[in-house]
Amino acid sequence: MSELLFYAMAVIALLGGLGVIFSKSPMGSVLSLLGSFFALAVIYLLAGFHFMAAVQILVYAGAIMVLFLFVIMLLNLGGMGTRFELSAAPLTRARSQIAAAVAAGVGLAGLIAVQRASLPRIAQGGAPERIDDINQIAIALFGRYSLPFQAVSVLLLTTMVAVLVLAKRRTRESGQ
Amino acid sequence: MNAYLEGLRGLQPEIVMTITALAALVFDLLLKGRESRRVGYLTLAGLAFTAWFLLGQWGDSAPRTVFGMVAIDQFGNFFKLFTVAALAMVVLFVMHDQREREHGVGEYYFLLLGAAIGVFFMVSTNNLLLMVLGFELLSLASYSLAGFHKGDRKSAEAAMKYVIFGGLATGIMLYGMSLLYGLTGTIDLAKMGVEGGGLVTQLAKSPVPVGIAMVLILAGFAYKVSVAPFHFWTPDVYEGAPTPVTTFLAVASKAAGFGVMLRFLGAIFLRPGVADSVAAYGERIGLLLAILAAITMTLGNFAALRQTSLKRMLAYSSIAHAGYVLIGVACMTEQGFGAALYYLAAYYFMNLGAFGFLLYFEGVNGNDSVESLKGMGFKAPLISCVMVAFLVSLTGLPPTVGFYGKYLLFVEGVNQGLYWLVVVAALNSVVSLFYYLRVAKALFLAKPAEREAAPAPVLTGFVTALGVATVALGIYVLPLVAWAQRSLDVLRG
């Protein structure tokens, strides 16, 4: 049963991924991505990572995708007939084929690496100990990994300023 | 004292930097965008404090690890001190460039400081997690800095290209790191290669998975230091970005990329107690790097020959120099790494100076073509003479710091049997002579120009100081060599 569910979800995730690329409208891309994320969340659940599954839904599907939708609507790309104007962009067909080849190559390399590695087998029915216990995660986050946790805050602040610098209108120029 | 406070003591430079960055941001808000130069002074003061704390750690005897992941050692100290110095130079460039002053809002300084904090973290950790965080911090700040001149099409294009290339390269690197974590079961580099570590088990079964992970990770590093075939972004981004930012990217960011590469390889393959199979595997990685080094320097030098813009020429020259440094890395020995460190130190001096010269003449001529420099050597004799010293050093001729750097690299290359690579590098140096001397020729071997060059005493002063250092350290070489050697404690501890 769970095996069947896994394959079903894997197919949905892949189809969602393809939908992101091939969808004609930006809205369609976003919705495909959403479907892909939900399927992934179910796969996490099957593997016994309940917390990961919940976070996947909350953060990705909940927050990030909503942000995407907002941006698309605000920029008025959302009209169902709107198509990406790829032809005008430097993303020519040949270049996107190269990019696809690189991505596929890297993915394939990863598969080969995992397949030939000596990895311990995990017993059927999820991880042996509960590695996604929220308590444990919190203790690790504020204990062993407190420094990277704080470094992330610097990273986020810098990114926020960086984006604002690029995005805000130039109001100060004339005053100087 | 308890461990937490002890840890905070070790992180003093990082903490001071972060406080400075926040202060710069708030100060700019209070000034409401007027007089953004004052934020520059604040930044310089913060950098001076950071340097003071770094110098305090300079004398520290034993390398130690705080918070379980930040290594306080001389290796990190080496890169941090140079980063602070380079950043101070860049801040001075920003403050003394008319065009930057027009755009110069306070966020400029905040982003520069943010990038430097990233450098601090990435060069001083054996932990993959913190390494990636530092790497990203540097990258994200750099993307925005490259596009700082928003009205300028080239600057916008530079930022866009940098983001796309950078995002791809970081993604590939992260993928490789996750593979490495899966293979070894740890994110602590120091534990991977030793007897009983995850790499030993994996190599016993098959070398392929480790190889794939390593190649993917090194691709990310290679992008940061613009080693072929991951160099495509370099000329466009360097050309489009504001010149002070280009200086930061070409000097601090590139050296930091090498810092993280040296630490990564050193921590896995060269530390004492590393298993034989892992050490042998390291030499194969070295061979791969040697091939990349040869391709990179040849490509960089031959492309530089054709450039008419000084900025683009320096961009290709920086690619070529990445190739030279890679010789030292490819040796995979302590001496090789020492030579690479020495060369990076030399690289700081000569490239900072060359970019300072570029900045000055961009202000004078309004463009950066080599053509427009014709005869200007007589109008601004001091800075032009100093530039010739930088050019000589970049070519690798005595009596400059660049010469001794190349000498060390070549000697270690020969010792490790990489004769072919040393021959390629030597031939490349000859090629580079042509395009470096073209600048000197334009400056002095033409009719004196009609135009006047407005003096910029502060900028000229700092560039001259760098020039003096370039020559003096080329004659009196021992202190810098000793420092580079001392900084290799990362391989011993």
Side-chain angles (χ1 to χ4, degrees):
Chain A
M1 171 61 194
S2 71
E3 204 160 320
L4 201 69
L5 196 55
F6 169 78
Y7 283 114
M9 286 304 144
V11 169
I12 293 176
L14 280 177
L15 286 179
L18 289 174
V20 175
I21 305 170
F22 290 111
S23 170
K24 293 282 184 231
S25 79
M27 211 54 122
S29 287
V30 170
L31 292 177
S32 308
L33 197 56
L34 196 60
S36 186
F37 282 159
F38 268 108
L40 274 184
V42 176
I43 292 177
Y44 292 151
L45 269 182
L46 288 175
F49 297 109
H50 304 134
F51 182 69
M52 278 265 282
V55 168
Q56 169 85 7
I57 302 270
L58 283 176
V59 175
Y60 280 97
I64 295 183
M65 294 322 290
V66 170
L67 197 68
F68 277 15
L69 286 179
F70 265 112
V71 169
I72 287 172
M73 287 178 192
L74 286 178
L75 294 182
N76 225 353
L77 297 171
M80 272 311 175
T82 321
R83 298 165 131 237
F84 291 119
E85 288 182 32
L86 281 187
S87 52
L91 197 66
T92 58
R93 195 171 184 81
R95 281 184 201 177
S96 45
Q97 277 165 354
I98 294 173
V102 170
V106 170
L108 193 66
L111 278 182
I112 294 171
V114 173
Q115 199 255 325
R116 309 229 2 209
S118 93
L119 296 173
R121 292 236 161 251
I122 295 177
Q124 199 104 57
E129 73 262 42
R130 294 212 47 201
I131 42 180
D132 77 331
D133 183 26
I134 301 177
N135 260 329
Q136 295 302 319
I137 290 175
I139 290 168
L141 207 55
F142 291 101
R144 254 173 83 197
Y145 296 106
S146 66
L147 184 72
F149 187 60
Q150 290 167 61
V152 167
S153 71
V154 179
L155 176 73
L156 287 179
L157 180 66
T158 311
T159 313
M160 226 147 64
V161 173
V163 171
L164 281 178
V165 163
L166 289 183
K168 80 170 179 215
R169 282 181 208 282
R170 315 155 78 195
T171 51
R172 286 189 190 164
E173 210 109 323
S174 49
Q176 288 286 307
Chain B
M1 209 188 317
N2 73 32
Y4 191 78
L5 289 179
E6 188 58 42
L8 284 185
R9 259 171 66 86
L11 285 180
Q12 274 161 344
E14 282 84 354
I15 294 171
V16 175
M17 283 284 260
T18 313
I19 292 174
T20 312
L22 293 175
L25 198 60
V26 174
F27 192 45
D28 180 54
L29 275 179
L30 293 179
L31 290 174
K32 299 201 171 64
R34 294 184 306 264
E35 300 275 340
S36 63
R37 225 174 156 175
R38 287 195 212 158
V39 187
Y41 288 118
L42 177 81
T43 309
L44 285 178
L47 287 176
F49 263 116
T50 313
W52 188 65
F53 281 117
L54 283 173
L55 287 173
Q57 289 177 357
W58 200 66
D60 268 11
S61 48
R64 59 185 194 279
T65 306
V66 297
F67 291 110
M69 49 186 73
V70 183
I72 310 294
D73 53 20
Q74 297 305 315
F75 180 86
N77 201 262
F78 179 90
F79 281 100
K80 286 178 193 174
L81 272 173
F82 272 111
T83 305
V84 167
L87 190 62
M89 240 8 228
V90 171
V91 169
L92 283 168
F93 285 179
V94 176
M95 288 164 66
H96 286 98
D97 186 357
Q98 186 57 45
R99 294 192 310 163
E100 296 314 320
R101 232 175 292 158
E102 283 163 17
H103 294 270
V105 290
E107 287 94 348
Y108 214 127
Y109 304 106
F110 175 81
L111 288 175
L112 282 171
L113 285 165
I117 297 169
V119 172
F120 274 35
F121 278 127
M122 71 195 243
V123 297
S124 63
T125 183
N126 282 335
N127 187 293
L128 280 178
L129 180 62
L130 203 57
M131 202 176 260
V132 170
L133 280 177
F135 201 89
E136 271 300 271
L137 189 48
L138 171 62
S139 301
L140 286 166
S142 307
Y143 301 151
S144 178
L145 283 169
F148 214 87
H149 289 179
K150 271 180 292 177
D152 183 357
R153 216 187 135 78
K154 271 190 173 169
S155 185
E157 187 190 328
M160 197 66 208
K161 279 192 177 153
Y162 204 20
V163 169
I164 291 176
F165 262 99
L168 183 68
T170 315
I172 290 177
M173 182 185 77
L174 265 178
Y175 190 47
M177 284 181 174
S178 65
L179 280 177
L180 193 64
Y181 171 52
L183 293 171
T184 58
T186 172
I187 51 173
D188 190 349
L189 295 173
K191 289 189 189 134
M192 287 179 182
V194 291
E195 213 61 71
L199 278 185
V200 185
T201 328
Q202 294 300 337
L203 287 175
K205 180 156 187 268
S206 159
V208 177
V210 183
I212 289 174
M214 285 290 161
V215 167
L216 293 178
I217 295 172
L218 287 175
F221 296 159
Y223 143 80
K224 192 100 254 163
V225 300
S226 54
V227 160
F230 305 99
H231 66 283
F232 294 107
W233 60 277
T234 314
D236 291 335
V237 172
Y238 281 19
E239 191 189 8
T243 306
V245 174
T246 309
T247 314
F248 183 81
L249 294 181
V251 181
S253 169
K254 177 173 284 207
F258 271 111
V260 77
M261 191 189 240
L262 287 171
R263 187 180 278 279
F264 178 82
L265 293 173
I268 293 183
F269 294 110
L270 284 184
R271 69 172 41 243
V274 74
D276 291 338
S277 61
V278 177
Y281 197 75
E283 279 168 24
R284 286 164 69 179
I285 302 263
L287 187 64
L288 172 74
L289 292 176
I291 295 166
L292 288 184
I295 298 173
T296 306
M297 60 179 90
T298 312
L299 219 143
N301 276 320
F302 277 91
L305 278 178
R306 290 197 310 268
Q307 303 308 319
T308 52
S309 142
L310 182 59
K311 209 171 176 184
R312 266 186 103 81
M313 192 200 92
L314 284 176
Y316 279 110
S317 130
S318 92
I319 296 178
H321 283 277
Y324 298 137
V325 179
L326 214 49
I327 301 176
V329 186
C331 290
M332 287 301 236
T333 56
E334 195 176 319
Q335 286 78 17
F337 278 27
L341 278 185
Y342 183 90
Y343 199 81
L344 284 173
Y347 180 85
Y348 273 110
F349 287 111
M350 52 204 192
N351 259 318
L352 270 180
F355 276 104
F357 171 87
L358 168 69
L359 189 79
Y360 174 69
F361 270 101
E362 265 185 348
V364 170
N365 291 334
N367 66 59
D368 62 347
S369 70
V370 178
E371 192 68 24
S372 70
L373 292 176
K374 270 203 172 143
M376 291 308 276
F378 301 100
K379 297 292 169 190
L382 181 59
I383 200 167
S384 302
C385 286
V386 175
M387 179 62 177
V388 173
F390 294 132
L391 292 171
V392 169
S393 180
L394 284 165
T395 320
L397 295 174
T400 55
V401 71
F403 163 72
Y404 200 71
K406 265 194 190 147
Y407 168 79
L408 284 177
L409 286 172
F410 289 5
V411 166
E412 188 51 23
V414 169
N415 283 345
Q416 293 308 311
L418 294 168
Y419 297 104
W420 60 274
L421 184 57
V422 173
V423 171
V424 170
L427 289 176
N428 262 296
S429 299
V430 178
V431 173
S432 72
L433 188 64
F434 283 104
Y435 63 84
Y436 287 132
L437 282 192
R438 217 175 61 205
V439 177
K441 192 182 126 209
L443 280 173
F444 286 109
L445 298 182
K447 277 206 320 282
E450 305 285 308
R451 290 162 296 149
E452 287 302 320
V458 181
L459 188 61
T460 312
F462 279 105
V463 172
T464 310
L466 284 170
V468 170
T470 304
V471 177
L473 290 171
I475 296 168
Y476 189 49
V477 290
L478 285 180
L480 203 50
V481 174
W483 189 14
Q485 284 299 330
R486 220 167 66 88
S487 303
L488 288 174
D489 59 350
V490 60
L491 304 180
R492 297 174 202 124

